[in-house]
C-alpha cells in the first residue's frame, strides 16, 4: 500500500506526462503526496493525466514543455521555482520518442529529432534544474530520475536513432553522477556533505505504452508502465545517504534476458 505522505510537500516535474510511462509516473508520485507538474507538448493528453491524478486524490498542474527547445526548458524551470520555491525538488526525465530506420534509409531529420528528445533535451533540462537546487540548505536532497532504456546497452536492427540516443543519455547520466560526487563539500574536520541533488537512472525493457505499438511485441512480454513508475517513486524516497546509479527492470518473460 502506498504511503500517501511520503512525498508530501514536494513538487515534481515529469516530462512526457501526457501518456505512457510519463502519465504513470505522474500518478505514482501524486499517490505518494507530491504535487505534480505534467509536462508535454500534448496539452490534451496532459489535461487527461491531470484529471487522472485528481481522480486518484492527488494534485497536479499542466505545463507546456518542449524538451528540445532551450527557451522552453528554461521557462518551465523558472515558472515552477517562482511558483513553488524550494518545494520544487524532483525532476523525472521520462519523455522519449522512437523513429525506426535502417542505415540504408534512415532519415536525418528523424535521427536528429530522436537525439534531441531522448538525450540533448533531458541533459539540458537536468542542467537547468541542478543549477537551481545546488543551493539547497543542509539536510535537503533534490532528486532527478532519468528514464534510459535497455536499448542503451543492447543493439537492434532498425533502431539506430533510438539505441544511439539512449546510449548517449546513459553515458551522459554517468558523467553527471561523477561530477556531482566531485562537488561534495569538505568540512574542516574532513567530513563531507554530498551535493544537495542526486541523479539516478532507471533502465527499463519493453513496456506496454503507445510508443511500443509500432514494434508489435505481445503485451504479455512487456511490463505495465506502472511497474516502472513505482520504481521511480521508490528512488526519490530512498534515504538521502544513498543513491542508485543504474537500475535495470525487465519483464519476467523478456525472451532475451538474462543475456
Amino acid at each position: 500500500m502506498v504511503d500517501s505522505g511520503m512525498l508530501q510537500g514536494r513538487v515534481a516535474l515529469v516530462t512526457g506526462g501526457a501518456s505512457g510511462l510519463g502519465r504513470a509516473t505522474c500518478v505514482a508520485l501524486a499517490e505518494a503526496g507530491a504535487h505534480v507538474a505534467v509536462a508535454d507538448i500534448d496539452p490534451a493528453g496532459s489535461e487527461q493525466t491531470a484529471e487522472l491524478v485528481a481522480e486518484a486524490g492527488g494534485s497536479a498542474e499542466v505545463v507546456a514543455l518542449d524538451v528540445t527547445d532551450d527557451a522552453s526548458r528554461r521557462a518551465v524551470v523558472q515558472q515552477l521555482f517562482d511558483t513553488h520555491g524550494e518545494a520544487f525538488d524532483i525532476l523525472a526525465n521520462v519523455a522519449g520518442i522512437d523513429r525506426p530506420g535502417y542505415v540504408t534509409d534512415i532519415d536525418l531529420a528523424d535521427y536528429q529529432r530522436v537525439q534531441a528528445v531522448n538525450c540533448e533535451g533531458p541533459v539540458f533540462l537536468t542542467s537547468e534544474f541542478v543549477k537551481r537546487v545546488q543551493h539547497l540548505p543542509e539536510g535537503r536532497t533534490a532528486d532527478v530520475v532519468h528514464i534510459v532504456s535497455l536499448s542503451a546497452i543492447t543493439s537492434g536492427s532498425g533502431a539506430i536513432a533510438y539505441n544511439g540516443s539512449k546510449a548517449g543519455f546513459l553515458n551522459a547520466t554517468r558523467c553527471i553522477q561523477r561530477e556531482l560526487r566531485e562537488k561534495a563539500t569538505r568540512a574542516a574536520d574532513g567530513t563531507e556533505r554530498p551535493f544537495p541533488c542526486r541523479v539516478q537512472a532507471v533502465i527499463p525493457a519493453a513496456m506496454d505504452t503507445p510508443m511500443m505499438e509500432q514494434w508489435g511485441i505481445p503485451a504479455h512480454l512487456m511490463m505495465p508502465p506502472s511497474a516502472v513508475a513505482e520504481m521511480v517513486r521508490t528512488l526519490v524516497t530512498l534515504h538521502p545517504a544513498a543513491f542508485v546509479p543504474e537500475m535495470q527492470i525487465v519483464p519476467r518473460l523478456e525472451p532475451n534476458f538474462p543475456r
Side-chain angles (χ1 to χ4, degrees), residues 6 57 124 154 175 190 200 210 213 221-222 249:
M6 286 190 299
F124 280 90
T154 61
C175 291
Q200 306 178 88
E213 292 175 358
L221 296 180
M222 297 188 286
I249 180 168

Side-chain angles (χ1 to χ4, degrees), residues 49-69:
T49 298
E51 290 171 7
L52 288 173
V53 168
E55 290 171 6
S59 171
E61 64 184 280
V62 171
V63 295
L65 171 64
D66 179 353
V67 297
T68 70
D69 182 79

Side-chain angles (χ1 to χ4, degrees), residues 142-238:
D143 281 293
V144 178
V145 178
H146 286 172
I147 300 298
V148 189
S149 170
L150 203 64
S151 295
I153 55 176
T154 61
S155 56
S157 297
I160 296 170
Y162 187 77
N163 287 43
S165 68
K166 288 298 188 176
F169 187 33
L170 178 57
N171 207 32
T173 301
R174 291 168 175 168
C175 291
I176 293 168
Q177 291 168 342
R178 179 175 291 276
E179 290 177 6
L180 297 190
R181 172 63 186 91
E182 293 173 357
K183 287 182 177 293
T185 55
R186 184 181 294 272
D189 62 1
T191 60
E192 290 183 288
R193 178 200 171 197
F195 186 82
C197 180
R198 59 186 171 186
V199 177
Q200 306 178 88
V202 180
I203 305 176
M207 291 171 283
D208 190 5
T209 64
M211 191 180 76
M212 292 301 297
E213 292 175 358
Q214 61 191 317
W215 296 106
I217 301 173
H220 74 278
L221 296 180
M222 297 188 286
M223 297 176 288
S226 59
V228 180
E230 289 167 7
M231 189 56 60
V232 175
R233 182 174 64 207
T234 297
L235 291 179
V236 302
T237 57
L238 281 178

Side-chain angles (χ1 to χ4, degrees), residues 70-129:
D70 192 52
S72 180
R73 292 189 297 259
R74 292 173 183 270
V76 166
V77 170
Q78 180 72 52
Q79 172 191 334
L80 291 174
F81 274 109
D82 286 348
T83 303
H84 301 287
E86 291 183 352
F88 171 37
D89 66 356
I90 299 174
L91 168 62
N93 277 307
V94 184
I97 62 169
D98 187 7
R99 296 290 186 272
Y102 292 82
V103 70
T104 51
D105 58 21
I106 189 168
D107 181 81
L108 177 59
D110 283 348
Y111 182 86
Q112 291 175 330
R113 179 68 178 171
V114 171
Q115 293 288 335
V117 173
N118 294 358
C119 184
E120 178 185 296
V123 166
F124 280 90
L125 185 59
T126 295
S127 172
E128 197 64 26
F129 178 79

